[in-house]
């Protein structure tokens, strides 16, 4: 089992192309922890803004009466991938992992696989 700090360090160290990572409460929009980032990406601002993305998708699923769960939300930019993974286990309801990747260095499939592993080990 990993705590928040260990999980964020694991993401930055094990995921090729990682620029930054945050654990976010989408009820409040607050980042519970961040690591990395850059001059062009403030992870606390991004955490709050991406809370709206998660809420919008959950509303859309409710309106469509989809009886399923969100695993990942992927936003592709010209030079970055933004990956949002909603937590499902051990008190993770209402939380998501937010990962920013350099699209030139990242392997998106491996990043998703590693983020899923990190989520399964995370104890909140």
């Amino acid at each position: 089992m990993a705590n928040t700090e260990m999980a964020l360090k694991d993401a930055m160290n094990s995921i090729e192309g990682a620029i930054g990572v945050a654990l976010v409460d989408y009820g409040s929009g607050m980042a519970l922890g961040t690591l990395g980032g850059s001059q062009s990406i403030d992870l606390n601002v991004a955490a709050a803004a991406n809370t709206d993305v998660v809420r919008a998708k959950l509303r859309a699923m409710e309106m469509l009466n989809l009886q399923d769960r969100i695993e990942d939300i992927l936003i592709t930019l010209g030079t970055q991938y933004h990956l949002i993974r909603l937590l499902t286990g051990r008190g993770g309801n209402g939380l998501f992992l937010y990962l920013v990747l350099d699209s030139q260095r990242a392997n998106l499939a491996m990043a998703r696989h590693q983020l899923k592993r990190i989520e399964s080990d995370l104890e909140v």
Side-chain angles (χ1 to χ4, degrees):
M1 297 301 136
N3 64 21
T4 300
E5 182 180 349
M6 288 172 48
L8 297 178
K9 284 181 181 177
D10 188 7
M12 288 300 292
N13 294 327
S14 69
I15 300 175
E16 184 71 28
I19 296 171
V21 63
L23 178 63
V24 184
D25 177 336
Y26 63 81
S28 67
M30 298 295 294
L32 305 178
T34 64
L35 191 60
S38 68
Q39 288 181 346
S40 64
I41 185 135
D42 180 324
L43 289 171
N44 288 301
V45 172
N50 281 290
T51 293
D52 291 335
V53 172
V54 171
R55 290 177 186 161
K57 187 58 188 174
L58 289 169
R59 274 193 313 273
M61 289 179 63
E62 184 178 330
M63 290 169 54
L64 295 168
N65 198 28
L66 295 176
Q67 302 302 313
D68 210 339
R69 65 180 183 86
I70 299 170
E71 287 185 7
D72 299 312
I73 298 171
L74 172 63
I75 300 165
T76 59
L77 305 177
T79 60
Q80 296 176 348
Y81 297 135
H82 292 220
L83 188 57
I84 298 167
R85 178 154 187 97
L86 275 67
L87 275 60
T88 57
R90 288 186 296 284
N93 286 339
L95 302 176
F96 66 88
L97 284 166
Y98 172 66
L99 177 66
V100 180
L101 298 162
D102 177 337
S103 63
Q104 299 300 308
R105 297 186 310 126
N107 177 324
L108 189 54
M110 287 303 297
R112 289 185 69 224
H113 177 73
Q114 288 293 90
L115 205 56
K116 182 178 182 177
R117 178 191 55 77
I118 290 165
E119 181 227 348
S120 70
D121 291 342
L122 180 60
E123 183 74 41
V124 183

